[in-house]
């Protein structure tokens, strides 16, 4: 459904000027000459049998590519959970402690902003401020532990805000 012809793009990316016959052969080899419902059914059948297909971009099986990236994804998730628990607990306790003061209002407004902003926008702002302008963190990659700070923090902010508000609410009820 994307613009262009996958078969033609694949042949062109190999520095080949494809003929219509070459494109037709490639479309047949990829199964793109069949109706869309049949292509989808074939893909779904293979997926249910453990075959995720081939990544045309990477030139390897999809599941192999996913497995290769799993450790980085896991580290990112663990780091995000760390920020969410630590930050949510601290802000929740602080909101309860500052009840009725300006500090509580500031933290409550902050958590509302965190809840309202999408993670991708938060990530862009964090990269701009702490990566580009202040040069405190790398802007991409996971070569060092510092490479996990900005993306994990961006992922954690929504959960952090919910945890802070929930903890504050529960402590107010209990006290």
């Amino acid at each position: 459904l994307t613009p262009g012809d996958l078969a033609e793009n694949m042949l062109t990316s190999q520095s080949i000027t494809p003929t219509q016959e070459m494109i037709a052969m490639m479309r047949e080899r990829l199964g793109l000459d069949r109706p869309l419902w049949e292509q989808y059914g074939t893909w779904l059948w293979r997926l249910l049998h453990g075959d995720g297909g081939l990544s045309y971009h990477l030139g390897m099986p999809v599941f192999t590519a996913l497995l290769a990236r799993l450790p980085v994804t896991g580290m990112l998730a663990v780091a995000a959970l760390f920020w969410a628990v630590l930050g949510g607990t601290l802000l929740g306790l602080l909101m309860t402690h500052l009840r009725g003061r300006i500090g509580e209002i500031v933290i409550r407004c902050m958590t509302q902003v965190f809840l309202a902003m999408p993670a991708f926008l938060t990530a862009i702002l964090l990269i701009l401020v702490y990566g580009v302008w202040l040069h405190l963190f790398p802007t991409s990659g996971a070569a060092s532990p510092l490479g996990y700070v900005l993306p994990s923090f961006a992922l954690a902010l929504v959960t952090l805000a919910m945890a802070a508000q929930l903890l504050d609410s529960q402590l107010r009820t209990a006290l």
Side-chain angles (χ1 to χ4, degrees), residues 11-30:
L11 290 169
T12 306
S13 72
Q14 298 171 6
S15 302
I16 299 172
T17 306
T19 64
Q20 290 302 321
E21 185 178 291
M22 292 169 72
I23 294 171
M25 286 175 56
M26 179 64 86
R27 288 181 58 74
E28 184 178 339
R29 192 180 113 221
L30 297 173

Side-chain angles (χ1 to χ4, degrees), residues 39-115:
Q39 292 177 47
Y40 178 70
T42 302
W43 171 81
L44 190 58
W45 181 258
R46 287 181 178 162
L47 184 66
L48 291 172
H49 288 87
D51 179 8
L54 185 69
S55 168
Y56 300 117
H57 176 70
L58 299 173
M60 63 172 41
V62 170
F63 288 148
T64 303
L66 288 173
L67 284 173
R69 287 156 177 79
L70 200 56
V72 173
T73 303
M75 285 293 296
L76 192 59
V78 168
L81 182 63
F82 169 78
W83 290 122
V85 170
L86 179 70
T89 303
L90 291 175
L91 286 181
L93 290 171
L94 200 54
M95 274 196 294
T96 303
H97 178 72
L98 297 174
R99 185 185 306 184
R101 295 188 214 150
I102 191 75
E104 179 206 1
I105 296 168
V106 169
I107 294 171
R108 194 167 298 286
C109 288
M110 239 174 41
T111 58
Q112 288 299 320
V113 169
F114 294 160
L115 287 170

Side-chain angles (χ1 to χ4, degrees), residues 127-128 130-132 137-141 150:
I127 289 169
L128 274 174
Y130 296 104
V132 176
F137 296 100
T139 56
S140 67
L150 293 180

